Amino acid sequence: MAIRNLTRSAAAAVIGTAVVIPVPAAADPLPYGPDTCIQGYVWREARTGDTVCVTPDERSTVLQQNSNPGAHKDPNGAYGPQSCAQGYVWREAFDGDTICVTPDFRQQMLNDNAAAASRKQATQPQPTPGASANGSTVLFEVTGSGEVYNIVTDPSGADVPDHTKIPWQRSMTVGPDVQLLQVVATGRDTPGPGCRITVDGKVVTEQPIGGSAHCVFSRF
Protein backbone atom coordinates (compact mmCIF):
# COMPACT_ATOMS: atom_id res chain seq x y z
CA MET A 1 0.00 0.00 0.00
CA ALA A 2 2.83 2.40 0.85
CA ILE A 3 4.50 1.71 -2.51
CA ARG A 4 1.21 2.33 -4.37
CA ASN A 5 0.66 5.66 -2.58
CA LEU A 6 4.24 6.68 -3.31
CA THR A 7 3.76 5.89 -7.00
CA ARG A 8 0.57 7.94 -7.11
CA SER A 9 2.32 10.87 -5.41
CA ALA A 10 5.19 10.75 -7.89
CA ALA A 11 2.78 10.69 -10.84
CA ALA A 12 0.88 13.66 -9.44
CA ALA A 13 4.13 15.56 -9.04
CA VAL A 14 5.04 14.92 -12.67
CA ILE A 15 1.59 15.97 -13.91
CA GLY A 16 1.71 19.14 -11.82
CA THR A 17 5.13 20.14 -13.08
CA ALA A 18 5.13 22.61 -15.97
CA VAL A 19 7.61 21.75 -18.68
CA VAL A 20 9.01 24.91 -20.24
CA ILE A 21 10.52 24.48 -23.69
CA PRO A 22 12.60 27.49 -24.67
CA VAL A 23 11.66 29.06 -27.99
CA PRO A 24 14.63 30.30 -30.01
CA ALA A 25 14.54 34.03 -30.55
CA ALA A 26 13.98 35.11 -34.12
CA ALA A 27 17.04 36.53 -35.78
CA ASP A 28 16.95 40.32 -35.83
CA PRO A 29 17.30 41.49 -39.45
CA LEU A 30 18.88 44.70 -38.11
CA PRO A 31 20.99 43.56 -35.12
CA TYR A 32 22.37 47.07 -34.55
CA GLY A 33 19.18 48.93 -35.36
CA PRO A 34 18.92 51.41 -38.24
CA ASP A 35 22.71 51.90 -38.22
CA THR A 36 23.41 48.26 -39.16
CA CYS A 37 25.82 48.19 -42.12
CA ILE A 38 25.33 46.16 -45.27
CA GLN A 39 27.51 43.09 -45.69
CA GLY A 40 31.20 43.88 -46.13
CA TYR A 41 31.10 47.16 -44.19
CA VAL A 42 31.69 48.11 -40.55
CA TRP A 43 31.34 51.26 -38.48
CA ARG A 44 34.19 53.71 -39.02
CA GLU A 45 34.42 54.83 -35.38
CA ALA A 46 36.49 57.92 -36.08
CA ARG A 47 34.96 59.07 -32.78
CA THR A 48 32.41 57.69 -30.33
CA GLY A 49 29.08 57.34 -32.11
CA ASP A 50 30.54 57.43 -35.63
CA THR A 51 28.44 54.81 -37.46
CA VAL A 52 29.40 55.70 -41.02
CA CYS A 53 29.93 52.36 -42.77
CA VAL A 54 33.35 51.73 -44.32
CA THR A 55 35.50 48.75 -45.25
CA PRO A 56 37.28 46.91 -42.41
CA ASP A 57 40.68 48.03 -43.76
CA GLU A 58 39.58 51.64 -43.72
CA ARG A 59 38.36 51.39 -40.13
CA SER A 60 41.69 49.85 -39.10
CA THR A 61 43.51 52.79 -40.66
CA VAL A 62 41.25 55.27 -38.87
CA LEU A 63 41.82 53.57 -35.51
CA GLN A 64 45.59 53.64 -36.08
CA GLN A 65 45.40 57.35 -36.86
CA ASN A 66 43.36 57.96 -33.70
CA SER A 67 45.96 56.17 -31.60
CA ASN A 68 48.57 58.78 -32.59
CA PRO A 69 46.67 62.09 -32.97
CA GLY A 70 49.86 64.14 -32.91
CA ALA A 71 51.30 62.56 -36.04
CA HIS A 72 52.02 64.85 -39.00
CA LYS A 73 51.34 68.02 -36.98
CA ASP A 74 53.17 71.32 -37.32
CA PRO A 75 52.63 73.32 -34.10
CA ASN A 76 54.11 76.39 -35.76
CA GLY A 77 51.70 76.30 -38.67
CA ALA A 78 49.07 78.86 -39.59
CA TYR A 79 46.31 77.08 -37.64
CA GLY A 80 48.18 76.78 -34.35
CA PRO A 81 49.02 73.50 -32.63
CA GLN A 82 46.49 71.58 -34.76
CA SER A 83 48.15 72.65 -38.02
CA CYS A 84 49.25 69.84 -40.30
CA ALA A 85 52.74 69.37 -41.69
CA GLN A 86 53.30 70.09 -45.36
CA GLY A 87 51.56 67.54 -47.56
CA TYR A 88 48.90 66.70 -44.96
CA VAL A 89 45.40 68.03 -44.30
CA TRP A 90 42.76 67.60 -41.63
CA ARG A 91 40.87 64.34 -41.96
CA GLU A 92 37.42 65.92 -41.48
CA ALA A 93 35.56 62.66 -40.96
CA PHE A 94 33.33 64.84 -38.75
CA ASP A 95 33.18 68.51 -37.79
CA GLY A 96 36.24 69.32 -35.70
CA ASP A 97 38.27 66.29 -36.83
CA THR A 98 41.85 67.60 -37.01
CA ILE A 99 43.73 64.31 -37.40
CA CYS A 100 46.28 64.95 -40.16
CA VAL A 101 46.12 62.66 -43.19
CA THR A 102 46.96 62.73 -46.88
CA PRO A 103 44.58 64.65 -49.18
CA ASP A 104 43.52 61.38 -50.81
CA PHE A 105 42.50 59.90 -47.46
CA ARG A 106 40.52 63.00 -46.54
CA GLN A 107 38.68 62.73 -49.84
CA GLN A 108 37.88 59.12 -48.97
CA MET A 109 36.36 60.31 -45.68
CA LEU A 110 34.19 62.83 -47.51
CA ASN A 111 33.11 60.18 -50.01
CA ASP A 112 32.20 57.84 -47.15
CA ASN A 113 30.11 60.55 -45.51
CA ALA A 114 28.25 61.18 -48.76
CA ALA A 115 27.55 57.46 -49.21
CA ALA A 116 26.60 56.85 -45.57
CA ALA A 117 22.88 56.24 -46.08
CA SER A 118 23.41 53.90 -49.04
CA ARG A 119 25.51 51.54 -46.90
CA LYS A 120 22.86 50.94 -44.24
CA GLN A 121 20.74 47.79 -44.34
CA ALA A 122 17.66 49.80 -43.39
CA THR A 123 17.83 51.81 -46.63
CA GLN A 124 18.20 48.84 -48.97
CA PRO A 125 15.28 48.12 -51.34
CA GLN A 126 13.00 45.35 -50.21
CA PRO A 127 12.68 42.30 -52.43
CA THR A 128 9.81 42.43 -54.89
CA PRO A 129 7.11 39.85 -54.16
CA GLY A 130 7.69 36.91 -56.45
CA ALA A 131 6.01 33.61 -57.06
CA SER A 132 5.34 32.07 -53.65
CA ALA A 133 5.36 28.28 -53.53
CA ASN A 134 1.96 28.41 -51.82
CA GLY A 135 0.44 30.97 -54.17
CA SER A 136 -0.01 34.72 -53.76
CA THR A 137 -2.93 37.04 -53.14
CA VAL A 138 -3.27 39.54 -55.98
CA LEU A 139 -5.43 42.66 -55.84
CA PHE A 140 -6.27 44.42 -59.12
CA GLU A 141 -7.64 47.95 -58.78
CA VAL A 142 -8.97 50.60 -61.13
CA THR A 143 -8.85 54.01 -59.47
CA GLY A 144 -10.62 57.28 -60.14
CA SER A 145 -14.29 58.13 -60.50
CA GLY A 146 -17.04 57.86 -63.09
CA GLU A 147 -17.59 54.85 -65.34
CA VAL A 148 -15.61 52.59 -67.68
CA TYR A 149 -16.36 50.83 -70.94
CA ASN A 150 -14.55 47.72 -69.78
CA ILE A 151 -11.93 46.28 -67.44
CA VAL A 152 -9.76 43.28 -68.32
CA THR A 153 -7.44 41.43 -65.95
CA ASP A 154 -4.85 38.75 -66.53
CA PRO A 155 -5.46 36.19 -65.09
CA SER A 156 -9.03 36.82 -66.15
CA GLY A 157 -12.13 36.79 -64.02
CA ALA A 158 -15.81 37.48 -64.54
CA ASP A 159 -16.64 39.89 -67.36
CA VAL A 160 -16.87 43.53 -66.31
CA PRO A 161 -19.85 45.13 -68.09
CA ASP A 162 -20.02 48.54 -69.75
CA HIS A 163 -20.93 51.45 -67.43
CA THR A 164 -19.21 49.81 -64.44
CA LYS A 165 -18.53 52.47 -61.82
CA ILE A 166 -15.07 53.03 -60.42
CA PRO A 167 -13.16 52.75 -58.15
CA TRP A 168 -13.22 48.99 -58.75
CA GLN A 169 -11.18 46.04 -57.50
CA ARG A 170 -10.79 42.31 -57.92
CA SER A 171 -8.90 39.96 -55.60
CA MET A 172 -7.70 36.47 -56.47
CA THR A 173 -5.14 33.88 -55.44
CA VAL A 174 -2.69 32.86 -58.15
CA GLY A 175 -0.38 29.87 -58.19
CA PRO A 176 3.42 29.91 -58.44
CA ASP A 177 3.25 29.14 -62.18
CA VAL A 178 1.51 32.44 -63.03
CA GLN A 179 4.07 34.91 -64.37
CA LEU A 180 2.17 37.85 -65.85
CA LEU A 181 -0.26 40.06 -63.96
CA GLN A 182 -2.08 42.94 -65.62
CA VAL A 183 -5.19 45.07 -65.52
CA VAL A 184 -6.43 47.36 -68.31
CA ALA A 185 -9.34 49.79 -68.09
CA THR A 186 -10.98 51.98 -70.72
CA GLY A 187 -12.65 54.98 -69.13
CA ARG A 188 -15.77 56.84 -70.22
CA ASP A 189 -14.91 60.07 -68.44
CA THR A 190 -12.14 62.67 -68.26
CA PRO A 191 -9.66 62.31 -66.70
CA GLY A 192 -9.31 58.62 -67.42
CA PRO A 193 -8.89 56.03 -64.68
CA GLY A 194 -5.70 54.87 -63.01
CA CYS A 195 -4.76 51.36 -61.93
CA ARG A 196 -2.80 49.43 -59.33
CA ILE A 197 -1.63 45.85 -58.72
CA THR A 198 -0.83 44.62 -55.22
CA VAL A 199 0.83 41.25 -54.50
CA ASP A 200 0.66 39.89 -50.95
CA GLY A 201 0.05 43.38 -49.58
CA LYS A 202 2.82 45.15 -51.53
CA VAL A 203 2.10 47.49 -54.44
CA VAL A 204 4.17 46.25 -57.38
CA THR A 205 2.96 48.60 -60.14
CA GLU A 206 0.68 51.60 -60.42
CA GLN A 207 -0.52 54.17 -62.97
CA PRO A 208 -1.97 57.53 -61.87
CA ILE A 209 -5.47 58.74 -62.64
CA GLY A 210 -5.42 60.22 -66.12
CA GLY A 211 -2.60 57.89 -67.18
CA SER A 212 -2.67 54.84 -69.42
CA ALA A 213 -4.77 52.73 -67.01
CA HIS A 214 -2.66 49.73 -68.06
CA CYS A 215 -0.74 48.12 -65.19
CA VAL A 216 1.45 45.10 -65.90
CA PHE A 217 3.87 43.16 -63.67
CA SER A 218 6.04 40.10 -64.32
CA ARG A 219 6.61 37.96 -61.22
CA PHE A 220 9.73 36.21 -62.54
Side-chain angles (χ1 to χ4, degrees), residues 102-202:
T102 63
D104 286 347
F105 195 83
R106 177 175 67 178
Q107 186 59 52
Q108 183 62 54
M109 295 293 95
L110 300 179
N111 293 344
D112 291 334
N113 290 350
S118 67
R119 296 173 180 173
K120 303 290 189 183
Q121 283 191 26
T123 63
Q124 301 308 298
Q126 298 301 307
T128 301
S132 169
N134 298 320
S136 297
T137 300
V138 177
L139 179 65
F140 298 105
E141 296 178 85
V142 176
T143 57
S145 59
E147 298 180 345
V148 295
Y149 288 105
N150 56 37
I151 299 173
V152 178
T153 65
D154 187 7
S156 61
D159 290 343
V160 179
D162 190 6
H163 294 289
T164 293
K165 294 185 179 298
I166 56 174
W168 171 95
Q169 61 180 229
R170 168 180 290 163
S171 179
M172 64 174 65
T173 299
V174 299
D177 57 325
V178 176
Q179 175 181 0
L180 189 67
L181 305 173
Q182 63 179 328
V183 56
V184 184
T186 305
R188 281 182 163 274
D189 306 288
T190 301
C195 59
R196 182 184 304 119
I197 299 177
T198 304
V199 178
D200 292 333
K202 180 178 179 62

Side-chain angles (χ1 to χ4, degrees), residues 34-114:
D35 288 325
T36 302
C37 297
I38 60 176
Q39 187 173 5
Y41 287 84
V42 294
W43 289 344
R44 182 174 57 192
E45 298 183 328
R47 64 173 176 178
T48 301
D50 177 17
T51 59
V52 170
C53 297
V54 298
T55 64
D57 286 346
E58 196 172 330
R59 178 176 66 176
S60 294
T61 300
V62 167
L63 296 181
Q64 290 173 3
Q65 293 166 349
N66 287 356
S67 69
N68 188 14
H72 311 301
K73 296 285 189 184
D74 179 7
N76 299 317
Y79 299 99
Q82 297 302 322
S83 299
C84 293
Q86 186 174 4
Y88 290 86
V89 294
W90 288 340
R91 187 173 60 186
E92 296 184 337
F94 53 87
D95 288 342
D97 180 12
T98 58
I99 295 288
C100 293
V101 298
T102 63
D104 286 347
F105 195 83
R106 177 175 67 178
Q107 186 59 52
Q108 183 62 54
M109 295 293 95
L110 300 179
N111 293 344
D112 291 334
N113 290 350

